[in-house]
Amino acid sequence: MKTPIAVRLAAVLVTALLASTSGCGCGFDCNNGNNNDRPAVLSLGLSDSLPEDLKQVVIEVDSITLQRSGATDVIIDQFAIEDPNGPASDTFQVDLLEYQGRNQLVVISDLELDSDTYSGISIEILDGDINRSFVQEADDSVKVLSVANSAISAPGMTLDAGTQQFTVEFGLAQSLQYRSSDDSYLLTNHGVRTEDNAVAASLSGRVERTLFDSVSPCDEKTDPESGNRIYLYQGQGLADRQLGDVFNNDSSTEVPDNTVTPFAVASMAEDALTGIWQYAFGFLPADDYTLAFSCDTAGDDSTDFDDLTIALPGEQVYEITLGEAQVAVCDLTTDANCSAQ
């Protein structure tokens, strides 16, 4: 049973990780709630990683449902995004490309809830209408954006007593698909995850421009600044396995048995003042990772396995261990001597 709860939700734009006081992160496998006399206080933000060559990826959110097993779902359907003290709105629009890396838009702030396990988060989207949800391409053409089942499903969380802040990371490099059949875009659940800000790590750094076109076939690119990505894989010691490009279970091409799928993907942005190229992964769970750069990723389809060469140049592979709440820096240079700091 779902019972709507009309709540005015304050929202603010932040450009760095928010401070948190307590909490633990989980996915759908959480199974132990923690009920006590103190309420849980939730703030929830939205963030993403960037697909290249797009100017906007806009969704219009109709409601956010916090799902529970054996208890009433919590439905938030009133929002005050721009002015916390102003009138609440039934929906809000957000350009996901504005919230990359460690940036996020907080859409739920200081909402008191039962301390409990919430098995999932459903973000209802008003889709299929170019005036509500759409993608603006590099040439300024605008395409309609649809969402599978008109809702994004994100993993859930366990809320303990006290203030906790979580982020839904969209991972657009994995979740956004172009559909040539009707010249539109589809947003799916692939790559969508929920992270606890209190323990989430981040990883960022500079990328030496020489890496963009120093080896074949990248030295033949018309635009050296295009087709460059950084792939992040969970685990280390992956030398005997193939580091895969982005794909999912609907791939129309065969995927080798030893292929590792990316956990997250980042592209690079040039600092307009310094000319330095940078990348950023935000909201990562503490874990062992392998990071790899490739300069030949223009053909990386979000559905099909494309058998791209990762890493390229071949020495651009780094093993990194991230601790809870660590803010790590790893600069990618031609001498391949990065170590997370």
Side-chain angles (χ1 to χ4, degrees), residues 205-236:
R206 301 179 178 185
V207 182
E208 193 170 301
R209 191 187 184 281
T210 306
L211 300 176
F212 295 173
D213 58 356
S214 60
V215 297
S216 178
C218 302
D219 55 3
E220 300 177 0
K221 290 193 297 187
T222 302
D223 180 5
E225 296 176 357
S226 69
N228 304 297
R229 278 184 169 184
I230 296 176
Y231 296 83
L232 190 68
Y233 305 85
Q234 285 185 305
Q236 296 179 356

PDB file of all heavy atoms in Angstrom, residues 205-236:
ATOM      1  N   GLY A 205      41.490  14.064 -10.479  1.00  0.00           N
ATOM      2  CA  GLY A 205      42.864  14.362 -10.832  1.00  0.00           C
ATOM      3  C   GLY A 205      42.975  15.052 -12.177  1.00  0.00           C
ATOM      4  O   GLY A 205      41.981  15.296 -12.869  1.00  0.00           O
ATOM      5  N   ARG A 206      44.210  15.351 -12.528  1.00  0.00           N
ATOM      6  CA  ARG A 206      44.514  15.948 -13.816  1.00  0.00           C
ATOM      7  C   ARG A 206      44.840  14.853 -14.835  1.00  0.00           C
ATOM      8  O   ARG A 206      45.265  13.762 -14.469  1.00  0.00           O
ATOM      9  CB  ARG A 206      45.700  16.907 -13.692  1.00  0.00           C
ATOM     10  CG  ARG A 206      45.470  18.043 -12.703  1.00  0.00           C
ATOM     11  CD  ARG A 206      46.699  18.924 -12.617  1.00  0.00           C
ATOM     12  NE  ARG A 206      46.496  20.052 -11.711  1.00  0.00           N
ATOM     13  CZ  ARG A 206      47.370  21.027 -11.519  1.00  0.00           C
ATOM     14  NH1 ARG A 206      48.544  20.995 -12.162  1.00  0.00           N
ATOM     15  NH2 ARG A 206      47.106  22.021 -10.694  1.00  0.00           N
ATOM     16  N   VAL A 207      44.648  15.177 -16.099  1.00  0.00           N
ATOM     17  CA  VAL A 207      44.987  14.253 -17.177  1.00  0.00           C
ATOM     18  C   VAL A 207      45.902  14.991 -18.151  1.00  0.00           C
ATOM     19  O   VAL A 207      45.523  16.030 -18.707  1.00  0.00           O
ATOM     20  CB  VAL A 207      43.731  13.747 -17.914  1.00  0.00           C
ATOM     21  CG1 VAL A 207      44.125  12.753 -19.002  1.00  0.00           C
ATOM     22  CG2 VAL A 207      42.752  13.105 -16.945  1.00  0.00           C
ATOM     23  N   GLU A 208      47.091  14.476 -18.354  1.00  0.00           N
ATOM     24  CA  GLU A 208      48.042  15.100 -19.266  1.00  0.00           C
ATOM     25  C   GLU A 208      47.508  15.005 -20.698  1.00  0.00           C
ATOM     26  O   GLU A 208      47.201  13.913 -21.191  1.00  0.00           O
ATOM     27  CB  GLU A 208      49.391  14.400 -19.146  1.00  0.00           C
ATOM     28  CG  GLU A 208      50.533  15.147 -19.798  1.00  0.00           C
ATOM     29  CD  GLU A 208      51.867  14.524 -19.431  1.00  0.00           C
ATOM     30  OE1 GLU A 208      52.177  14.463 -18.208  1.00  0.00           O
ATOM     31  OE2 GLU A 208      52.573  14.096 -20.353  1.00  0.00           O
ATOM     32  N   ARG A 209      47.424  16.137 -21.372  1.00  0.00           N
ATOM     33  CA  ARG A 209      46.814  16.187 -22.699  1.00  0.00           C
ATOM     34  C   ARG A 209      47.551  15.313 -23.714  1.00  0.00           C
ATOM     35  O   ARG A 209      46.950  14.819 -24.681  1.00  0.00           O
ATOM     36  CB  ARG A 209      46.770  17.632 -23.191  1.00  0.00           C
ATOM     37  CG  ARG A 209      45.920  17.819 -24.444  1.00  0.00           C
ATOM     38  CD  ARG A 209      46.044  19.232 -24.999  1.00  0.00           C
ATOM     39  NE  ARG A 209      45.155  19.408 -26.141  1.00  0.00           N
ATOM     40  CZ  ARG A 209      45.414  18.964 -27.375  1.00  0.00           C
ATOM     41  NH1 ARG A 209      46.520  18.279 -27.604  1.00  0.00           N
ATOM     42  NH2 ARG A 209      44.552  19.193 -28.359  1.00  0.00           N
ATOM     43  N   THR A 210      48.833  15.086 -23.503  1.00  0.00           N
ATOM     44  CA  THR A 210      49.618  14.254 -24.415  1.00  0.00           C
ATOM     45  C   THR A 210      49.006  12.869 -24.586  1.00  0.00           C
ATOM     46  O   THR A 210      49.151  12.229 -25.644  1.00  0.00           O
ATOM     47  CB  THR A 210      51.056  14.117 -23.883  1.00  0.00           C
ATOM     48  OG1 THR A 210      51.603  15.413 -23.668  1.00  0.00           O
ATOM     49  CG2 THR A 210      51.935  13.360 -24.857  1.00  0.00           C
ATOM     50  N   LEU A 211      48.294  12.397 -23.558  1.00  0.00           N
ATOM     51  CA  LEU A 211      47.705  11.061 -23.618  1.00  0.00           C
ATOM     52  C   LEU A 211      46.581  10.956 -24.645  1.00  0.00           C
ATOM     53  O   LEU A 211      46.219   9.856 -25.058  1.00  0.00           O
ATOM     54  CB  LEU A 211      47.166  10.663 -22.239  1.00  0.00           C
ATOM     55  CG  LEU A 211      48.186  10.611 -21.100  1.00  0.00           C
ATOM     56  CD1 LEU A 211      47.488  10.289 -19.783  1.00  0.00           C
ATOM     57  CD2 LEU A 211      49.270   9.581 -21.394  1.00  0.00           C
ATOM     58  N   PHE A 212      46.021  12.078 -25.081  1.00  0.00           N
ATOM     59  CA  PHE A 212      44.862  12.052 -25.971  1.00  0.00           C
ATOM     60  C   PHE A 212      45.198  11.535 -27.370  1.00  0.00           C
ATOM     61  O   PHE A 212      44.341  10.955 -28.034  1.00  0.00           O
ATOM     62  CB  PHE A 212      44.248  13.446 -26.105  1.00  0.00           C
ATOM     63  CG  PHE A 212      43.660  13.993 -24.829  1.00  0.00           C
ATOM     64  CD1 PHE A 212      43.197  15.300 -24.779  1.00  0.00           C
ATOM     65  CD2 PHE A 212      43.572  13.226 -23.681  1.00  0.00           C
ATOM     66  CE1 PHE A 212      42.645  15.819 -23.613  1.00  0.00           C
ATOM     67  CE2 PHE A 212      43.030  13.734 -22.509  1.00  0.00           C
ATOM     68  CZ  PHE A 212      42.571  15.037 -22.480  1.00  0.00           C
ATOM     69  N   ASP A 213      46.428  11.747 -27.842  1.00  0.00           N
ATOM     70  CA  ASP A 213      46.738  11.394 -29.230  1.00  0.00           C
ATOM     71  C   ASP A 213      48.190  10.953 -29.414  1.00  0.00           C
ATOM     72  O   ASP A 213      48.792  11.174 -30.460  1.00  0.00           O
ATOM     73  CB  ASP A 213      46.419  12.559 -30.174  1.00  0.00           C
ATOM     74  CG  ASP A 213      47.167  13.835 -29.808  1.00  0.00           C
ATOM     75  OD1 ASP A 213      47.870  13.846 -28.782  1.00  0.00           O
ATOM     76  OD2 ASP A 213      47.048  14.827 -30.559  1.00  0.00           O
ATOM     77  N   SER A 214      48.729  10.287 -28.408  1.00  0.00           N
ATOM     78  CA  SER A 214      50.143   9.914 -28.469  1.00  0.00           C
ATOM     79  C   SER A 214      50.392   8.546 -29.096  1.00  0.00           C
ATOM     80  O   SER A 214      51.523   8.219 -29.452  1.00  0.00           O
ATOM     81  CB  SER A 214      50.755   9.944 -27.061  1.00  0.00           C
ATOM     82  OG  SER A 214      50.092   9.029 -26.205  1.00  0.00           O
ATOM     83  N   VAL A 215      49.360   7.711 -29.225  1.00  0.00           N
ATOM     84  CA  VAL A 215      49.522   6.364 -29.777  1.00  0.00           C
ATOM     85  C   VAL A 215      48.463   6.109 -30.834  1.00  0.00           C
ATOM     86  O   VAL A 215      47.442   6.789 -30.901  1.00  0.00           O
ATOM     87  CB  VAL A 215      49.428   5.292 -28.667  1.00  0.00           C
ATOM     88  CG1 VAL A 215      50.548   5.458 -27.655  1.00  0.00           C
ATOM     89  CG2 VAL A 215      48.062   5.350 -27.974  1.00  0.00           C
ATOM     90  N   SER A 216      48.697   5.101 -31.664  1.00  0.00           N
ATOM     91  CA  SER A 216      47.741   4.699 -32.693  1.00  0.00           C
ATOM     92  C   SER A 216      46.580   3.939 -32.049  1.00  0.00           C
ATOM     93  O   SER A 216      46.789   3.162 -31.104  1.00  0.00           O
ATOM     94  CB  SER A 216      48.435   3.809 -33.718  1.00  0.00           C
ATOM     95  OG  SER A 216      47.529   3.365 -34.697  1.00  0.00           O
ATOM     96  N   PRO A 217      45.329   4.117 -32.505  1.00  0.00           N
ATOM     97  CA  PRO A 217      44.877   4.973 -33.601  1.00  0.00           C
ATOM     98  C   PRO A 217      44.541   6.397 -33.171  1.00  0.00           C
ATOM     99  O   PRO A 217      44.037   7.177 -33.975  1.00  0.00           O
ATOM    100  CB  PRO A 217      43.612   4.258 -34.079  1.00  0.00           C
ATOM    101  CG  PRO A 217      43.028   3.719 -32.805  1.00  0.00           C
ATOM    102  CD  PRO A 217      44.212   3.297 -31.963  1.00  0.00           C
ATOM    103  N   CYS A 218      44.786   6.744 -31.921  1.00  0.00           N
ATOM    104  CA  CYS A 218      44.387   8.060 -31.412  1.00  0.00           C
ATOM    105  C   CYS A 218      45.140   9.191 -32.093  1.00  0.00           C
ATOM    106  O   CYS A 218      44.644  10.324 -32.156  1.00  0.00           O
ATOM    107  CB  CYS A 218      44.591   8.123 -29.897  1.00  0.00           C
ATOM    108  SG  CYS A 218      43.667   6.865 -28.989  1.00  0.00           S
ATOM    109  N   ASP A 219      46.345   8.900 -32.619  1.00  0.00           N
ATOM    110  CA  ASP A 219      47.114   9.948 -33.280  1.00  0.00           C
ATOM    111  C   ASP A 219      46.515  10.352 -34.621  1.00  0.00           C
ATOM    112  O   ASP A 219      46.980  11.300 -35.262  1.00  0.00           O
ATOM    113  CB  ASP A 219      48.572   9.525 -33.452  1.00  0.00           C
ATOM    114  CG  ASP A 219      48.729   8.200 -34.190  1.00  0.00           C
ATOM    115  OD1 ASP A 219      47.707   7.631 -34.621  1.00  0.00           O
ATOM    116  OD2 ASP A 219      49.874   7.747 -34.319  1.00  0.00           O
ATOM    117  N   GLU A 220      45.450   9.645 -35.037  1.00  0.00           N
ATOM    118  CA  GLU A 220      44.767   9.990 -36.276  1.00  0.00           C
ATOM    119  C   GLU A 220      43.436  10.701 -36.036  1.00  0.00           C
ATOM    120  O   GLU A 220      42.717  11.009 -36.997  1.00  0.00           O
ATOM    121  CB  GLU A 220      44.518   8.726 -37.097  1.00  0.00           C
ATOM    122  CG  GLU A 220      45.801   7.990 -37.485  1.00  0.00           C
ATOM    123  CD  GLU A 220      45.526   6.700 -38.222  1.00  0.00           C
ATOM    124  OE1 GLU A 220      44.328   6.380 -38.430  1.00  0.00           O
ATOM    125  OE2 GLU A 220      46.487   5.995 -38.580  1.00  0.00           O
ATOM    126  N   LYS A 221      43.112  10.987 -34.784  1.00  0.00           N
ATOM    127  CA  LYS A 221      41.845  11.647 -34.486  1.00  0.00           C
ATOM    128  C   LYS A 221      41.819  13.066 -35.051  1.00  0.00           C
ATOM    129  O   LYS A 221      42.790  13.816 -34.916  1.00  0.00           O
ATOM    130  CB  LYS A 221      41.602  11.697 -32.971  1.00  0.00           C
ATOM    131  CG  LYS A 221      41.306  10.348 -32.346  1.00  0.00           C
ATOM    132  CD  LYS A 221      40.772  10.468 -30.925  1.00  0.00           C
ATOM    133  CE  LYS A 221      41.753  11.085 -29.975  1.00  0.00           C
ATOM    134  NZ  LYS A 221      41.261  11.029 -28.564  1.00  0.00           N
ATOM    135  N   THR A 222      40.689  13.430 -35.646  1.00  0.00           N
ATOM    136  CA  THR A 222      40.529  14.799 -36.130  1.00  0.00           C
ATOM    137  C   THR A 222      40.524  15.785 -34.975  1.00  0.00           C
ATOM    138  O   THR A 222      41.109  16.871 -35.054  1.00  0.00           O
ATOM    139  CB  THR A 222      39.219  14.930 -36.932  1.00  0.00           C
ATOM    140  OG1 THR A 222      39.234  13.998 -38.014  1.00  0.00           O
ATOM    141  CG2 THR A 222      39.049  16.341 -37.469  1.00  0.00           C
ATOM    142  N   ASP A 223      39.890  15.391 -33.887  1.00  0.00           N
ATOM    143  CA  ASP A 223      39.844  16.216 -32.686  1.00  0.00           C
ATOM    144  C   ASP A 223      40.425  15.422 -31.527  1.00  0.00           C
ATOM    145  O   ASP A 223      39.763  14.545 -30.968  1.00  0.00           O
ATOM    146  CB  ASP A 223      38.396  16.617 -32.369  1.00  0.00           C
ATOM    147  CG  ASP A 223      38.277  17.489 -31.128  1.00  0.00           C
ATOM    148  OD1 ASP A 223      39.322  17.867 -30.566  1.00  0.00           O
ATOM    149  OD2 ASP A 223      37.137  17.788 -30.724  1.00  0.00           O
ATOM    150  N   PRO A 224      41.678  15.691 -31.163  1.00  0.00           N
ATOM    151  CA  PRO A 224      42.304  14.932 -30.072  1.00  0.00           C
ATOM    152  C   PRO A 224      41.564  15.018 -28.746  1.00  0.00           C
ATOM    153  O   PRO A 224      41.718  14.135 -27.892  1.00  0.00           O
ATOM    154  CB  PRO A 224      43.699  15.570 -29.962  1.00  0.00           C
ATOM    155  CG  PRO A 224      43.942  16.198 -31.284  1.00  0.00           C
ATOM    156  CD  PRO A 224      42.601  16.677 -31.749  1.00  0.00           C
ATOM    157  N   GLU A 225      40.760  16.058 -28.555  1.00  0.00           N
ATOM    158  CA  GLU A 225      40.078  16.247 -27.282  1.00  0.00           C
ATOM    159  C   GLU A 225      38.796  15.413 -27.168  1.00  0.00           C
ATOM    160  O   GLU A 225      38.159  15.402 -26.109  1.00  0.00           O
ATOM    161  CB  GLU A 225      39.763  17.731 -27.078  1.00  0.00           C
ATOM    162  CG  GLU A 225      41.023  18.587 -26.977  1.00  0.00           C
ATOM    163  CD  GLU A 225      40.738  20.064 -26.882  1.00  0.00           C
ATOM    164  OE1 GLU A 225      39.541  20.440 -26.961  1.00  0.00           O
ATOM    165  OE2 GLU A 225      41.688  20.853 -26.738  1.00  0.00           O
ATOM    166  N   SER A 226      38.425  14.717 -28.217  1.00  0.00           N
ATOM    167  CA  SER A 226      37.225  13.874 -28.170  1.00  0.00           C
ATOM    168  C   SER A 226      37.623  12.415 -28.025  1.00  0.00           C
ATOM    169  O   SER A 226      38.750  12.019 -28.325  1.00  0.00           O
ATOM    170  CB  SER A 226      36.391  14.061 -29.436  1.00  0.00           C
ATOM    171  OG  SER A 226      37.072  13.520 -30.565  1.00  0.00           O
ATOM    172  N   GLY A 227      36.664  11.597 -27.555  1.00  0.00           N
ATOM    173  CA  GLY A 227      36.895  10.159 -27.462  1.00  0.00           C
ATOM    174  C   GLY A 227      37.839   9.740 -26.363  1.00  0.00           C
ATOM    175  O   GLY A 227      38.524   8.716 -26.487  1.00  0.00           O
ATOM    176  N   ASN A 228      37.880  10.489 -25.271  1.00  0.00           N
ATOM    177  CA  ASN A 228      38.747  10.161 -24.136  1.00  0.00           C
ATOM    178  C   ASN A 228      37.877   9.889 -22.907  1.00  0.00           C
ATOM    179  O   ASN A 228      37.021  10.699 -22.554  1.00  0.00           O
ATOM    180  CB  ASN A 228      39.693  11.324 -23.831  1.00  0.00           C
ATOM    181  CG  ASN A 228      40.520  11.715 -25.041  1.00  0.00           C
ATOM    182  OD1 ASN A 228      41.315  10.934 -25.539  1.00  0.00           O
ATOM    183  ND2 ASN A 228      40.334  12.944 -25.522  1.00  0.00           N
ATOM    184  N   ARG A 229      38.131   8.761 -22.256  1.00  0.00           N
ATOM    185  CA  ARG A 229      37.365   8.409 -21.067  1.00  0.00           C
ATOM    186  C   ARG A 229      38.258   7.738 -20.037  1.00  0.00           C
ATOM    187  O   ARG A 229      39.302   7.186 -20.359  1.00  0.00           O
ATOM    188  CB  ARG A 229      36.225   7.434 -21.402  1.00  0.00           C
ATOM    189  CG  ARG A 229      34.963   8.070 -21.941  1.00  0.00           C
ATOM    190  CD  ARG A 229      33.874   7.026 -22.154  1.00  0.00           C
ATOM    191  NE  ARG A 229      32.590   7.644 -22.414  1.00  0.00           N
ATOM    192  CZ  ARG A 229      31.454   6.974 -22.564  1.00  0.00           C
ATOM    193  NH1 ARG A 229      31.453   5.651 -22.492  1.00  0.00           N
ATOM    194  NH2 ARG A 229      30.317   7.605 -22.781  1.00  0.00           N
ATOM    195  N   ILE A 230      37.789   7.762 -18.792  1.00  0.00           N
ATOM    196  CA  ILE A 230      38.429   7.027 -17.709  1.00  0.00           C
ATOM    197  C   ILE A 230      37.418   6.033 -17.172  1.00  0.00           C
ATOM    198  O   ILE A 230      36.287   6.387 -16.834  1.00  0.00           O
ATOM    199  CB  ILE A 230      38.912   7.972 -16.597  1.00  0.00           C
ATOM    200  CG1 ILE A 230      39.994   8.901 -17.146  1.00  0.00           C
ATOM    201  CG2 ILE A 230      39.453   7.187 -15.408  1.00  0.00           C
ATOM    202  CD1 ILE A 230      40.464   9.940 -16.159  1.00  0.00           C
ATOM    203  N   TYR A 231      37.828   4.760 -17.108  1.00  0.00           N
ATOM    204  CA  TYR A 231      36.965   3.688 -16.644  1.00  0.00           C
ATOM    205  C   TYR A 231      37.439   3.232 -15.263  1.00  0.00           C
ATOM    206  O   TYR A 231      38.643   3.051 -15.041  1.00  0.00           O
ATOM    207  CB  TYR A 231      37.011   2.504 -17.620  1.00  0.00           C
ATOM    208  CG  TYR A 231      36.478   2.830 -18.997  1.00  0.00           C
ATOM    209  CD1 TYR A 231      37.296   3.440 -19.952  1.00  0.00           C
ATOM    210  CD2 TYR A 231      35.169   2.523 -19.349  1.00  0.00           C
ATOM    211  CE1 TYR A 231      36.817   3.735 -21.219  1.00  0.00           C
ATOM    212  CE2 TYR A 231      34.685   2.807 -20.624  1.00  0.00           C
ATOM    213  CZ  TYR A 231      35.511   3.423 -21.547  1.00  0.00           C
ATOM    214  OH  TYR A 231      35.033   3.709 -22.799  1.00  0.00           O
ATOM    215  N   LEU A 232      36.492   3.014 -14.378  1.00  0.00           N
ATOM    216  CA  LEU A 232      36.794   2.573 -13.026  1.00  0.00           C
ATOM    217  C   LEU A 232      36.155   1.206 -12.802  1.00  0.00           C
ATOM    218  O   LEU A 232      34.951   1.027 -13.022  1.00  0.00           O
ATOM    219  CB  LEU A 232      36.264   3.581 -12.000  1.00  0.00           C
ATOM    220  CG  LEU A 232      36.708   3.380 -10.558  1.00  0.00           C
ATOM    221  CD1 LEU A 232      38.208   3.645 -10.410  1.00  0.00           C
ATOM    222  CD2 LEU A 232      35.918   4.305  -9.616  1.00  0.00           C
ATOM    223  N   TYR A 233      36.976   0.232 -12.377  1.00  0.00           N
ATOM    224  CA  TYR A 233      36.514  -1.136 -12.168  1.00  0.00           C
ATOM    225  C   TYR A 233      36.702  -1.501 -10.700  1.00  0.00           C
ATOM    226  O   TYR A 233      37.698  -1.122 -10.078  1.00  0.00           O
ATOM    227  CB  TYR A 233      37.318  -2.113 -13.034  1.00  0.00           C
ATOM    228  CG  TYR A 233      37.323  -1.779 -14.505  1.00  0.00           C
ATOM    229  CD1 TYR A 233      38.242  -0.876 -15.019  1.00  0.00           C
ATOM    230  CD2 TYR A 233      36.410  -2.363 -15.373  1.00  0.00           C
ATOM    231  CE1 TYR A 233      38.251  -0.554 -16.372  1.00  0.00           C
ATOM    232  CE2 TYR A 233      36.407  -2.056 -16.723  1.00  0.00           C
ATOM    233  CZ  TYR A 233      37.336  -1.148 -17.217  1.00  0.00           C
ATOM    234  OH  TYR A 233      37.328  -0.828 -18.552  1.00  0.00           O
ATOM    235  N   GLN A 234      35.775  -2.257 -10.152  1.00  0.00           N
ATOM    236  CA  GLN A 234      35.948  -2.764  -8.794  1.00  0.00           C
ATOM    237  C   GLN A 234      36.919  -3.929  -8.813  1.00  0.00           C
ATOM    238  O   GLN A 234      36.867  -4.805  -9.679  1.00  0.00           O
ATOM    239  CB  GLN A 234      34.598  -3.200  -8.209  1.00  0.00           C
ATOM    240  CG  GLN A 234      33.708  -2.034  -7.806  1.00  0.00           C
ATOM    241  CD  GLN A 234      32.442  -2.493  -7.120  1.00  0.00           C
ATOM    242  OE1 GLN A 234      31.695  -3.300  -7.650  1.00  0.00           O
ATOM    243  NE2 GLN A 234      32.191  -1.979  -5.924  1.00  0.00           N
ATOM    244  N   GLY A 235      37.835  -3.924  -7.834  1.00  0.00           N
ATOM    245  CA  GLY A 235      38.796  -5.007  -7.725  1.00  0.00           C
ATOM    246  C   GLY A 235      40.170  -4.615  -8.232  1.00  0.00           C
ATOM    247  O   GLY A 235      40.357  -3.610  -8.922  1.00  0.00           O
ATOM    248  N   GLN A 236      41.142  -5.444  -7.879  1.00  0.00           N
ATOM    249  CA  GLN A 236      42.519  -5.269  -8.326  1.00  0.00           C
ATOM    250  C   GLN A 236      43.045  -6.614  -8.808  1.00  0.00           C
ATOM    251  O   GLN A 236      42.340  -7.624  -8.749  1.00  0.00           O
ATOM    252  CB  GLN A 236      43.377  -4.711  -7.190  1.00  0.00           C
ATOM    253  CG  GLN A 236      42.954  -3.326  -6.737  1.00  0.00           C
ATOM    254  CD  GLN A 236      43.795  -2.777  -5.591  1.00  0.00           C
ATOM    255  OE1 GLN A 236      44.676  -3.450  -5.066  1.00  0.00           O
ATOM    256  NE2 GLN A 236      43.521  -1.541  -5.182  1.00  0.00           N
TER     257      GLN A 236
END
